Amino acid sequence: MEELFDTINVRDLLSTHDLTDQTAPLTAPDLRLLISRLEFHSLQIKSKVQSYIASHHQDFASLFSLCNDAVSRTDEISTDLSDILGLISYRPIDKEVKEIIDEVSAKMKEARVKKELLELVRAIVEIGERLKGVKEALRDGRLRFAAEELRELKKDLRVGDENASEPLVYGLLREEWLDCFEEIQELLVKFVESAVRFEKESNRVLVKYQPTVDGLDGIELRTVLEAMEVVGILDYGLAKVADLKIKYVISPAVSYGSPITFVEELNPGPEKMSEAILRMVPSVDDKIENVDGKTIYSGIIQVVKFIHKRICLQNGSWVRCFGRLTWPRISELIISNFLSKVVPEDASKLADFQKIINHTSEFEAALKEMMFISASDNKDARLSNFAENVEVHFASRKKTEILAKARNLLLQCDFAVPQEYTGKDPICKNDGMAVDSSEHVVDLLFMSERCVVTKAASQLMKLVHQILQDICLSSTRVAFEFYHAARDAILLYEAIVPVKLERQLEGINQVAVLMHNDCLYLSQEILGFAFEYHSDFPSSIKEHAVFADMAPRFHLMAEEILQRQIQIVIFNLREALDGADGFQNTHQIQQFESAKFSIEQVVFILEKVHIIWEPLLLPSTYNRSMCMVLESVFSRITRDILLLDDMAAEETLQLQRLIHLMLENLSSLLESLAAVNQKGKTEGDFARPLDDLIPSLCKIRKLAELLDMPLRSITAAWESGELLSCGFTLSEIEDFIKAIFADSTLRKECLWRIENVPL
């Protein structure tokens, strides 16, 4: 059969074999031949197929039979499947199965819940029985058993970790547990209080090892402490004992200058030790001094040994618990009653404090050995830390003393100046010699002058100078504290004095001037610190010890006080001049008297200021300030007069009289200013003429002349430039002429001449 399906090459069926030219078309005879040969070949194939089938007839028959059987079985399976589907469709068995499964699950869940409830009931009953057992144990004196049961029941009942979804019975059981806990806590505390007592009458501590409480006897102190530790109330149980120890034993032992001797006594029982006693015996030698702390430390160590051996029974955790309850207060007592009191008051004695440091370290080492304080926690080494930082404590104490002294100086000072410093030239005697012995006269370092200051300022600066000298001789830590003390002492002036003198600064008085001088003096002294002390400061603080930043503050403060005084004076002068009503109608008697009274008030105020300022202010400051005040007065009077638009002849004479009256009354003041100015020229401090310092002085003098001057003379004075040099302006002269002289040809001519003068 394989040969029948071999590939047939059509070219082999053609008659010609010359087929090299594959593109040559076939002829009609070739095609007819090809068809004939293909038909013949097809007949051969059919003949061979029939022969093959005939020879394999049996095989084909069995194959067809097998196929027939397979088809029959497929039909049977299809029928069975249809029957099953029909059965399922008409009878929903899956629903019945689901119902059965749900029922089984519900029964199993119900059984499981009942089992859990049964277990819960058993647990509740068991816990209830155990709680009853705890109460019975307490009544029988089995404290250790009761404590351990309570500890286990606390875990089972999850006390402190309550859940809102828990059964109500658990809350009831917890309440019962708390009742048992409070009962055992109260009982154990009673045992401890009965076991350890302080008897005031005999001044002793009594420890009973088998105390009796509520009819329970024979219970040892160790058992009580063990039960307290198991329950977790050891701190609570020992708190009262610790308090008694501090109050009646430790505190008297630490009291500075009251040495006490402790005597231990033991009372043995038939089988075991029944009592231990620590008796407190005041020392017969009242001359014993706790200079180095050895007496205090030895007494406390004896007490701690008694606690360690007789109360805590050499149990490390109990001793540590007792130490946690008492050590903070013990250390505070030792620091406040002993260490803080023996801190040296002089820096030269700091080296002698080393013996106390050594005794303190040995004392704490002994406490660590007995486990009374922690060997690893540095917080418990409070005494050593305090003693080793003695320099800081010394400096801190000195700083407190310095600031207290500075504060008292400033608060107690009345800021008054002795009478001898209120006259003229108070800084020097009549023979020119400086009054060096006075606390009120000081040198200004950078101004080559002397000024009067308050006693508070001079003493404050003496105190600061002493601090700076101590800094040069001190260690780094002490020097830092002293540096801050010096700064704070100076700043106290800024904080206290302005508040204290608030009312005085609102008026014209010596206090404000003295405060100005104080601030100026402090600023100068502060600037001098760097030159006087900085090179001798410890090298480690030179970079940080700075005072220069405070100098501008006090200099600005001095200037503000002075300017405030000047403004107050000017305000008062303006109020006085307001009463003159612009110097109008002075030809009328009432108006003249009013203007005259205003001038007298001005003179009075200026004389008052002169009396207050001249003796206290520096000459240059006095000269500058007084000239500023006088300028405000003269300019105001000149302006008011020049603003008058119509003046009668008699009125001009009265105005001239008022000006002459004022200048005459101020002659002594102007002479003093001229003298101060002349002295300044000699010393090279201020060389400006008085007329330059008070421009309106020349102007008002000239105004007095103009009030009685003919029109032609006024015109000539303007043309010569004399009036211009005195400060008059063109408009002022024109208005002045129009106010005094009636309109005329001469006035027009003079005004034209004045207007055409080249300026």
Side-chain angles (χ1 to χ4, degrees), residues 573-583 590-591 593-599 601 636:
L573 291 171
R574 287 176 179 172
E575 281 193 331
L577 290 173
D578 288 342
D581 194 20
F583 296 95
Q590 185 176 359
Q591 290 298 112
E593 292 298 330
S594 177
K596 182 181 178 182
F597 180 73
S598 295
I599 293 296
Q601 278 189 309
R636 167 70 184 274

PDB file of all heavy atoms in Angstrom, residues 573-583 590-591 593-599 601 636:
ATOM      1  N   LEU A 573       9.256 125.183  80.867  1.00  0.00           N
ATOM      2  CA  LEU A 573       9.509 126.537  80.366  1.00  0.00           C
ATOM      3  C   LEU A 573       8.444 126.954  79.354  1.00  0.00           C
ATOM      4  O   LEU A 573       7.983 128.105  79.344  1.00  0.00           O
ATOM      5  CB  LEU A 573      10.901 126.602  79.736  1.00  0.00           C
ATOM      6  CG  LEU A 573      12.075 126.487  80.723  1.00  0.00           C
ATOM      7  CD1 LEU A 573      13.388 126.348  79.974  1.00  0.00           C
ATOM      8  CD2 LEU A 573      12.127 127.703  81.649  1.00  0.00           C
ATOM      9  N   ARG A 574       8.065 126.032  78.490  1.00  0.00           N
ATOM     10  CA  ARG A 574       7.023 126.345  77.511  1.00  0.00           C
ATOM     11  C   ARG A 574       5.691 126.641  78.191  1.00  0.00           C
ATOM     12  O   ARG A 574       4.950 127.540  77.772  1.00  0.00           O
ATOM     13  CB  ARG A 574       6.869 125.184  76.536  1.00  0.00           C
ATOM     14  CG  ARG A 574       8.026 125.070  75.546  1.00  0.00           C
ATOM     15  CD  ARG A 574       7.861 123.841  74.676  1.00  0.00           C
ATOM     16  NE  ARG A 574       8.957 123.744  73.711  1.00  0.00           N
ATOM     17  CZ  ARG A 574       9.158 122.693  72.916  1.00  0.00           C
ATOM     18  NH1 ARG A 574       8.318 121.651  72.988  1.00  0.00           N
ATOM     19  NH2 ARG A 574      10.162 122.672  72.072  1.00  0.00           N
ATOM     20  N   GLU A 575       5.393 125.863  79.236  1.00  0.00           N
ATOM     21  CA  GLU A 575       4.154 126.132  79.977  1.00  0.00           C
ATOM     22  C   GLU A 575       4.185 127.523  80.601  1.00  0.00           C
ATOM     23  O   GLU A 575       3.168 128.246  80.611  1.00  0.00           O
ATOM     24  CB  GLU A 575       3.953 125.076  81.063  1.00  0.00           C
ATOM     25  CG  GLU A 575       3.401 123.759  80.559  1.00  0.00           C
ATOM     26  CD  GLU A 575       2.930 122.874  81.697  1.00  0.00           C
ATOM     27  OE1 GLU A 575       3.491 122.988  82.813  1.00  0.00           O
ATOM     28  OE2 GLU A 575       2.016 122.057  81.482  1.00  0.00           O
ATOM     29  N   ALA A 576       5.372 127.905  81.134  1.00  0.00           N
ATOM     30  CA  ALA A 576       5.499 129.244  81.725  1.00  0.00           C
ATOM     31  C   ALA A 576       5.320 130.326  80.665  1.00  0.00           C
ATOM     32  O   ALA A 576       4.654 131.355  80.889  1.00  0.00           O
ATOM     33  CB  ALA A 576       6.853 129.380  82.412  1.00  0.00           C
ATOM     34  N   LEU A 577       5.905 130.133  79.493  1.00  0.00           N
ATOM     35  CA  LEU A 577       5.808 131.128  78.422  1.00  0.00           C
ATOM     36  C   LEU A 577       4.409 131.178  77.815  1.00  0.00           C
ATOM     37  O   LEU A 577       4.011 132.207  77.248  1.00  0.00           O
ATOM     38  CB  LEU A 577       6.840 130.833  77.338  1.00  0.00           C
ATOM     39  CG  LEU A 577       8.300 131.088  77.741  1.00  0.00           C
ATOM     40  CD1 LEU A 577       9.253 130.605  76.659  1.00  0.00           C
ATOM     41  CD2 LEU A 577       8.523 132.579  78.029  1.00  0.00           C
ATOM     42  N   ASP A 578       3.687 130.066  77.912  1.00  0.00           N
ATOM     43  CA  ASP A 578       2.311 130.084  77.396  1.00  0.00           C
ATOM     44  C   ASP A 578       1.458 131.100  78.149  1.00  0.00           C
ATOM     45  O   ASP A 578       0.479 131.644  77.597  1.00  0.00           O
ATOM     46  CB  ASP A 578       1.688 128.690  77.511  1.00  0.00           C
ATOM     47  CG  ASP A 578       2.278 127.714  76.506  1.00  0.00           C
ATOM     48  OD1 ASP A 578       2.891 128.178  75.522  1.00  0.00           O
ATOM     49  OD2 ASP A 578       2.131 126.487  76.711  1.00  0.00           O
ATOM     50  N   GLY A 579       1.832 131.388  79.397  1.00  0.00           N
ATOM     51  CA  GLY A 579       1.068 132.366  80.182  1.00  0.00           C
ATOM     52  C   GLY A 579       1.244 133.787  79.692  1.00  0.00           C
ATOM     53  O   GLY A 579       0.468 134.684  80.063  1.00  0.00           O
ATOM     54  N   ALA A 580       2.271 134.044  78.874  1.00  0.00           N
ATOM     55  CA  ALA A 580       2.505 135.398  78.347  1.00  0.00           C
ATOM     56  C   ALA A 580       1.595 135.723  77.183  1.00  0.00           C
ATOM     57  O   ALA A 580       1.566 136.883  76.714  1.00  0.00           O
ATOM     58  CB  ALA A 580       3.960 135.543  77.927  1.00  0.00           C
ATOM     59  N   ASP A 581       0.881 134.726  76.684  1.00  0.00           N
ATOM     60  CA  ASP A 581      -0.088 134.918  75.595  1.00  0.00           C
ATOM     61  C   ASP A 581       0.565 135.545  74.365  1.00  0.00           C
ATOM     62  O   ASP A 581       0.038 136.476  73.745  1.00  0.00           O
ATOM     63  CB  ASP A 581      -1.244 135.781  76.074  1.00  0.00           C
ATOM     64  CG  ASP A 581      -2.444 135.731  75.117  1.00  0.00           C
ATOM     65  OD1 ASP A 581      -2.510 134.753  74.324  1.00  0.00           O
ATOM     66  OD2 ASP A 581      -3.277 136.643  75.155  1.00  0.00           O
ATOM     67  N   GLY A 582       1.753 135.049  74.025  1.00  0.00           N
ATOM     68  CA  GLY A 582       2.439 135.528  72.827  1.00  0.00           C
ATOM     69  C   GLY A 582       2.969 136.944  72.950  1.00  0.00           C
ATOM     70  O   GLY A 582       3.323 137.570  71.937  1.00  0.00           O
ATOM     71  N   PHE A 583       3.024 137.511  74.171  1.00  0.00           N
ATOM     72  CA  PHE A 583       3.527 138.870  74.446  1.00  0.00           C
ATOM     73  C   PHE A 583       2.718 139.931  73.695  1.00  0.00           C
ATOM     74  O   PHE A 583       3.257 140.949  73.230  1.00  0.00           O
ATOM     75  CB  PHE A 583       5.015 138.981  74.089  1.00  0.00           C
ATOM     76  CG  PHE A 583       5.893 138.108  74.933  1.00  0.00           C
ATOM     77  CD1 PHE A 583       6.264 136.833  74.488  1.00  0.00           C
ATOM     78  CD2 PHE A 583       6.329 138.530  76.182  1.00  0.00           C
ATOM     79  CE1 PHE A 583       7.056 136.027  75.260  1.00  0.00           C
ATOM     80  CE2 PHE A 583       7.137 137.722  76.956  1.00  0.00           C
ATOM     81  CZ  PHE A 583       7.491 136.459  76.505  1.00  0.00           C
ATOM     82  N   GLN A 590      -2.265 145.005  82.590  1.00  0.00           N
ATOM     83  CA  GLN A 590      -2.568 143.610  82.948  1.00  0.00           C
ATOM     84  C   GLN A 590      -1.786 142.632  82.084  1.00  0.00           C
ATOM     85  O   GLN A 590      -1.223 141.661  82.588  1.00  0.00           O
ATOM     86  CB  GLN A 590      -4.074 143.366  82.799  1.00  0.00           C
ATOM     87  CG  GLN A 590      -4.509 141.970  83.255  1.00  0.00           C
ATOM     88  CD  GLN A 590      -6.024 141.794  83.183  1.00  0.00           C
ATOM     89  OE1 GLN A 590      -6.741 142.734  82.810  1.00  0.00           O
ATOM     90  NE2 GLN A 590      -6.486 140.627  83.566  1.00  0.00           N
ATOM     91  N   GLN A 591      -1.703 142.920  80.778  1.00  0.00           N
ATOM     92  CA  GLN A 591      -0.965 142.039  79.876  1.00  0.00           C
ATOM     93  C   GLN A 591       0.532 142.092  80.163  1.00  0.00           C
ATOM     94  O   GLN A 591       1.226 141.094  80.084  1.00  0.00           O
ATOM     95  CB  GLN A 591      -1.235 142.426  78.428  1.00  0.00           C
ATOM     96  CG  GLN A 591      -2.649 142.127  77.948  1.00  0.00           C
ATOM     97  CD  GLN A 591      -2.932 140.627  77.999  1.00  0.00           C
ATOM     98  OE1 GLN A 591      -3.750 140.174  78.803  1.00  0.00           O
ATOM     99  NE2 GLN A 591      -2.238 139.864  77.174  1.00  0.00           N
ATOM    100  N   GLU A 593       1.926 142.732  83.123  1.00  0.00           N
ATOM    101  CA  GLU A 593       2.190 141.993  84.358  1.00  0.00           C
ATOM    102  C   GLU A 593       2.154 140.482  84.122  1.00  0.00           C
ATOM    103  O   GLU A 593       2.940 139.733  84.695  1.00  0.00           O
ATOM    104  CB  GLU A 593       1.155 142.383  85.422  1.00  0.00           C
ATOM    105  CG  GLU A 593       1.284 143.808  85.919  1.00  0.00           C
ATOM    106  CD  GLU A 593       2.619 144.055  86.606  1.00  0.00           C
ATOM    107  OE1 GLU A 593       3.182 143.090  87.191  1.00  0.00           O
ATOM    108  OE2 GLU A 593       3.123 145.183  86.560  1.00  0.00           O
ATOM    109  N   SER A 594       1.241 140.057  83.264  1.00  0.00           N
ATOM    110  CA  SER A 594       1.159 138.632  82.940  1.00  0.00           C
ATOM    111  C   SER A 594       2.419 138.161  82.224  1.00  0.00           C
ATOM    112  O   SER A 594       2.980 137.105  82.543  1.00  0.00           O
ATOM    113  CB  SER A 594      -0.076 138.366  82.083  1.00  0.00           C
ATOM    114  OG  SER A 594      -0.137 136.999  81.698  1.00  0.00           O
ATOM    115  N   ALA A 595       2.879 138.964  81.268  1.00  0.00           N
ATOM    116  CA  ALA A 595       4.106 138.602  80.553  1.00  0.00           C
ATOM    117  C   ALA A 595       5.309 138.635  81.484  1.00  0.00           C
ATOM    118  O   ALA A 595       6.207 137.785  81.414  1.00  0.00           O
ATOM    119  CB  ALA A 595       4.304 139.560  79.375  1.00  0.00           C
ATOM    120  N   LYS A 596       5.332 139.649  82.373  1.00  0.00           N
ATOM    121  CA  LYS A 596       6.440 139.761  83.327  1.00  0.00           C
ATOM    122  C   LYS A 596       6.472 138.550  84.256  1.00  0.00           C
ATOM    123  O   LYS A 596       7.545 138.004  84.565  1.00  0.00           O
ATOM    124  CB  LYS A 596       6.282 141.046  84.126  1.00  0.00           C
ATOM    125  CG  LYS A 596       7.409 141.279  85.125  1.00  0.00           C
ATOM    126  CD  LYS A 596       7.167 142.563  85.905  1.00  0.00           C
ATOM    127  CE  LYS A 596       8.262 142.775  86.952  1.00  0.00           C
ATOM    128  NZ  LYS A 596       8.021 143.997  87.764  1.00  0.00           N
ATOM    129  N   PHE A 597       5.285 138.124  84.701  1.00  0.00           N
ATOM    130  CA  PHE A 597       5.221 136.943  85.577  1.00  0.00           C
ATOM    131  C   PHE A 597       5.731 135.694  84.856  1.00  0.00           C
ATOM    132  O   PHE A 597       6.432 134.866  85.439  1.00  0.00           O
ATOM    133  CB  PHE A 597       3.780 136.737  86.049  1.00  0.00           C
ATOM    134  CG  PHE A 597       3.606 135.540  86.947  1.00  0.00           C
ATOM    135  CD1 PHE A 597       4.066 135.550  88.250  1.00  0.00           C
ATOM    136  CD2 PHE A 597       2.986 134.388  86.470  1.00  0.00           C
ATOM    137  CE1 PHE A 597       3.908 134.451  89.067  1.00  0.00           C
ATOM    138  CE2 PHE A 597       2.832 133.276  87.281  1.00  0.00           C
ATOM    139  CZ  PHE A 597       3.286 133.303  88.590  1.00  0.00           C
ATOM    140  N   SER A 598       5.400 135.558  83.596  1.00  0.00           N
ATOM    141  CA  SER A 598       5.894 134.417  82.814  1.00  0.00           C
ATOM    142  C   SER A 598       7.410 134.444  82.721  1.00  0.00           C
ATOM    143  O   SER A 598       8.072 133.409  82.863  1.00  0.00           O
ATOM    144  CB  SER A 598       5.272 134.442  81.412  1.00  0.00           C
ATOM    145  OG  SER A 598       3.877 134.245  81.475  1.00  0.00           O
ATOM    146  N   ILE A 599       7.972 135.659  82.479  1.00  0.00           N
ATOM    147  CA  ILE A 599       9.433 135.786  82.408  1.00  0.00           C
ATOM    148  C   ILE A 599      10.054 135.428  83.747  1.00  0.00           C
ATOM    149  O   ILE A 599      11.090 134.729  83.814  1.00  0.00           O
ATOM    150  CB  ILE A 599       9.817 137.215  81.994  1.00  0.00           C
ATOM    151  CG1 ILE A 599       9.378 137.488  80.549  1.00  0.00           C
ATOM    152  CG2 ILE A 599      11.323 137.435  82.137  1.00  0.00           C
ATOM    153  CD1 ILE A 599      10.068 136.639  79.518  1.00  0.00           C
ATOM    154  N   GLN A 601       8.844 133.401  85.970  1.00  0.00           N
ATOM    155  CA  GLN A 601       8.767 131.943  86.106  1.00  0.00           C
ATOM    156  C   GLN A 601       9.877 131.254  85.317  1.00  0.00           C
ATOM    157  O   GLN A 601      10.495 130.293  85.788  1.00  0.00           O
ATOM    158  CB  GLN A 601       7.403 131.452  85.614  1.00  0.00           C
ATOM    159  CG  GLN A 601       6.294 131.572  86.628  1.00  0.00           C
ATOM    160  CD  GLN A 601       5.029 130.861  86.153  1.00  0.00           C
ATOM    161  OE1 GLN A 601       4.566 131.096  85.039  1.00  0.00           O
ATOM    162  NE2 GLN A 601       4.488 130.012  86.998  1.00  0.00           N
ATOM    163  N   ARG A 636      11.935 130.749  71.536  1.00  0.00           N
ATOM    164  CA  ARG A 636      10.484 130.857  71.696  1.00  0.00           C
ATOM    165  C   ARG A 636      10.065 132.312  71.905  1.00  0.00           C
ATOM    166  O   ARG A 636       9.122 132.804  71.274  1.00  0.00           O
ATOM    167  CB  ARG A 636      10.042 129.988  72.881  1.00  0.00           C
ATOM    168  CG  ARG A 636       8.611 130.238  73.363  1.00  0.00           C
ATOM    169  CD  ARG A 636       7.576 129.766  72.377  1.00  0.00           C
ATOM    170  NE  ARG A 636       6.227 130.097  72.831  1.00  0.00           N
ATOM    171  CZ  ARG A 636       5.513 129.333  73.659  1.00  0.00           C
ATOM    172  NH1 ARG A 636       6.017 128.186  74.128  1.00  0.00           N
ATOM    173  NH2 ARG A 636       4.283 129.709  73.984  1.00  0.00           N
TER     174      ARG A 636
END
